[in-house]
Amino acid sequence: MGNNSIRSNLGKDDILSEIDLTIKADISREKTFLVLEGWDDIAFFHGKTGSSVELFESFSGKDGVVEIVKHFSNKRVLGVCDRDYVNNSQCDEIFYYDFNCLEIMLASNDSSFRAVVNVHYYGDLECSELRLSILEDLKFLSYTRKLNAINAWGLVLTGISFNKVYDARSKRLSYAKLIQQLEKLNPNLLCNHQEKIDLANEMCTKKIGELDYFQITQGHDFISCLQCHCLGSIFGKKKKPSCGSLFDCLLSAYSLETFRGTELYKNVNRYQYNNSIDEIFI
């Protein structure tokens, strides 16, 4: 297992300078640079990459990853991002997690999700039933996010309080309460954007399977909704889990062997072979 060099909390110019200097000093061309969206991504790849790989946290999430990778246009400067409804990579050096994002890739694995459920959920649903229930509850929001992204609607969809949307009696997300949250974020939503709401609702009438849900569901939405179910099932003195602790549990339960079966792993390995690069993933 490699002991990776990790760079985080750097500005754009510092990142570009460090990579540039290392490339110039790397006469034997052994180094590979993996640029990632944030610290959660670094935590995921730490211990899964070769010793010659240096991990860099982007200065500005996904946009920063793309900008850095395109700036160098170098086969040894790679980026990994959440897919976020993108169908095709913007360049050969940018790769995407399986499904929509890192969190969904982790949660899609049965053993990883079961590990979280066994520790933090005390409700009546089986593991697979709970996951599907969360995905179904998020269907309207997931389609709204997708349509907002691909059509550049400009709706504000950050800042939703899932605790205020979750209905403790039915143990489901309330559509009416979700609309109320969206109206707070987007004043006059129903007056000015009714056709957008109607389109998202129309999309929701289509029956889809779990794999389709994995392609459209946003990771933070899933973790936040999972937290609501966990909090609603707690009894006695059980410690209330944060979204961060739920993610950490998913992360620690996701094995290297599972990662080796992903499309991300296979795509990077194929790229590594085709470009005669030293070991990227172990």
Side-chain angles (χ1 to χ4, degrees), residues 137 162-175 177 228-229:
D137 273 1
F162 282 88
N163 288 329
K164 295 180 179 179
V165 176
Y166 183 76
D167 183 79
R169 288 189 176 183
S170 65
K171 298 179 181 178
R172 304 297 295 257
L173 295 187
S174 166
Y175 173 80
K177 292 179 180 179
C228 290
H229 281 276

Side-chain angles (χ1 to χ4, degrees), residues 12 19 73 94 143 145 170 176 193 236 239 254 266-267:
K12 174 183 172 181
I19 294 177
S73 190
I94 293 179
Y143 273 128
R145 287 192 186 282
S170 65
H193 303 284
K239 185 178 179 180
Y254 196 86
K266 295 172 185 175
N267 290 337

